[in-house]
Amino acid sequence: MSPPLPRSITGPKLKAFEGDIESVQFKKLLGPDDDEQSHSQIPHSRVFRVTIEGKTFALKIFNFFSLEEIRPDAFGKEHLLKDNVVRHQLDPFYAECRAFGLLVEKKRDDELAVRCHGYVFLSETLERRLERDFGIRDWNRKAEDEGSQLRAIVKDYIQWRSLRHRKTFEVMRKKLEELNKLGIYNMDIREANYLGGRLFDFSIAITFPHLSLWPKLWSVEQILNEKENDLACFDSMVKRVRKKEESERVILPPTEGQKSWPVTRSQKSKALSAGI
């Protein structure tokens, strides 16, 4: 049985997936998890809808990153940044392992994010299948990564494509507050990181203990700003969404015996096509 990861630093760890990963069937490439990055930036991962032993999951497969690509600017305090800690806290795969490791440990992954079933390493056979079926060859490997297996995390597949489905923003914000109280700061709160009201991407998450919350590196004000980032970004997201929803509302002219009522443009299109 593979050990929980990351192994060599203190803090939460994610257990290995217990299913038969070799039986995986790749059904659909859902896309990179960080779709707002520019073309010059390397996506953290690719996400697939898969079946494993007959059950549907989301499989998030991570790219490789060198220490230089993930090392933060410490402004004269670089000597405090140990390579081992940088690797296992800031590499997107390990960042997500730590966040979901704590959520699973507290049995709150399904409540505050999406249910996580553990990490897996993909064999060379599975990597060749990805190349054959999807044309994916580049996983940003460096010389130091040659021979390393692809790393992935298995999660529940979220069928809802909308931002919040039936969840209210008030409920979503409360869950984010609870997440922060656990010591997990997502650091990427935006519309594209929610499906059906659930957070699903934690590849740049800060999970305590973490370099970004270390007083030897950062001022109290800087650390406080990091901790307040999630809720501030959430409130900004809600304002954007509500402004967009309001701009899309139109007034349908009343039919005989009816009053006019506000609807969205998509609802208007459906109503007109139905002859209402």
Side-chain angles (χ1 to χ4, degrees):
M1 183 68 179
S2 300
L5 294 180
R7 283 180 289 180
S8 57
I9 60 170
T10 59
K13 306 177 191 303
L14 182 64
K15 293 181 180 180
F17 177 62
E18 295 181 354
D20 178 17
I21 191 60
E22 291 302 315
S23 71
V24 65
Q25 298 295 318
F26 296 96
K27 298 297 185 179
K28 183 179 181 180
L29 173 62
L30 302 175
D33 67 333
D34 35 8
D35 57 2
E36 288 192 355
Q37 291 199 9
S38 69
H39 293 299
S40 63
Q41 292 178 304
I42 302 164
H44 296 153
S45 65
R46 297 178 178 93
V47 183
F48 296 82
R49 177 168 59 84
V50 303
T51 58
I52 303 173
E53 299 177 291
K55 297 180 180 179
T56 300
F57 298 97
L59 184 68
K60 182 174 182 177
I61 308 176
F62 290 80
N63 277 320
F64 293 91
F65 292 89
S66 67
L67 282 170
E68 288 66 33
E69 289 172 314
I70 61 175
R71 191 186 302 277
D73 294 323
F75 305 105
K77 298 180 181 179
E78 288 79 6
H79 62 285
L80 296 175
L81 297 174
K82 306 302 182 184
D83 288 353
N84 183 53
V85 177
V86 171
R87 167 63 66 201
H88 292 106
Q89 288 189 359
L90 300 179
D91 180 286
F93 169 66
Y94 290 113
E96 192 143 310
C97 280
R98 297 182 79 241
F100 275 109
L102 182 55
L103 284 167
V104 171
E105 175 190 329
K106 300 297 184 181
K107 295 180 171 57
R108 303 194 71 184
D109 50 321
D110 192 38
E111 175 192 355
L112 301 182
V114 58
R115 187 177 297 282
C116 179
H117 301 274
Y119 76 87
V120 292
F121 293 123
L122 303 188
S123 65
E124 185 178 346
T125 299
L126 293 180
E127 185 171 348
R128 286 200 301 267
R129 193 190 305 171
L130 286 169
E131 180 177 349
R132 181 195 69 197
D133 295 346
F134 298 93
I136 301 172
R137 300 177 180 83
D138 184 11
W139 295 96
N140 198 42
R141 277 191 176 93
K142 308 296 189 297
E144 63 195 78
D145 304 310
E146 289 303 320
S148 297
Q149 292 179 296
L150 290 176
R151 310 158 303 165
I153 292 178
V154 183
K155 309 175 194 176
D156 273 1
Y157 173 70
I158 304 173
Q159 61 176 318
W160 312 113
R161 299 294 95 187
S162 62
L163 167 66
R164 51 180 170 157
H165 188 45
R166 296 175 180 174
K167 293 183 175 66
T168 66
F169 283 130
E170 290 73 21
V171 168
M172 291 166 63
R173 194 181 197 279
K174 181 64 176 177
K175 290 182 182 295
L176 187 57
E177 290 174 354
E178 291 296 316
L179 187 77
N180 289 171
K181 287 178 183 178
L182 282 181
I184 303 171
Y185 303 90
N186 180 270
M187 307 307 291
D188 194 19
I189 299 297
R190 53 191 170 92
E191 293 89 325
N193 201 5
Y194 277 97
L195 284 176
R198 291 177 177 270
L199 270 175
F200 61 89
D201 173 23
F202 286 80
S203 57
I204 61 171
I206 294 172
T207 303
F208 186 83
H210 197 278
L211 286 171
S212 297
L213 305 176
W214 194 20
K216 287 186 178 181
L217 277 176
W218 317 108
S219 68
V220 172
E221 182 180 3
Q222 287 172 314
I223 292 173
L224 184 61
N225 285 339
E226 295 284 67
K227 290 184 173 183
E228 293 177 343
N229 179 269
D230 279 358
L231 293 176
C233 289
F234 185 89
D235 292 341
S236 296
M237 178 187 77
V238 171
K239 288 180 181 178
R240 287 194 303 272
V241 172
R242 285 180 170 160
K243 183 177 181 180
K244 181 180 179 182
E245 289 176 346
E246 185 62 30
S247 69
E248 291 180 343
R249 294 177 74 83
V250 296
I251 304 297
L252 277 179
T255 57
E256 185 176 351
Q258 290 181 323
K259 295 181 179 180
S260 61
W261 67 95
V263 296
T264 65
R265 295 185 188 279
S266 61
Q267 288 173 326
K268 178 182 178 182
S269 177
K270 291 178 182 177
L272 292 176
S273 65
I276 298 175

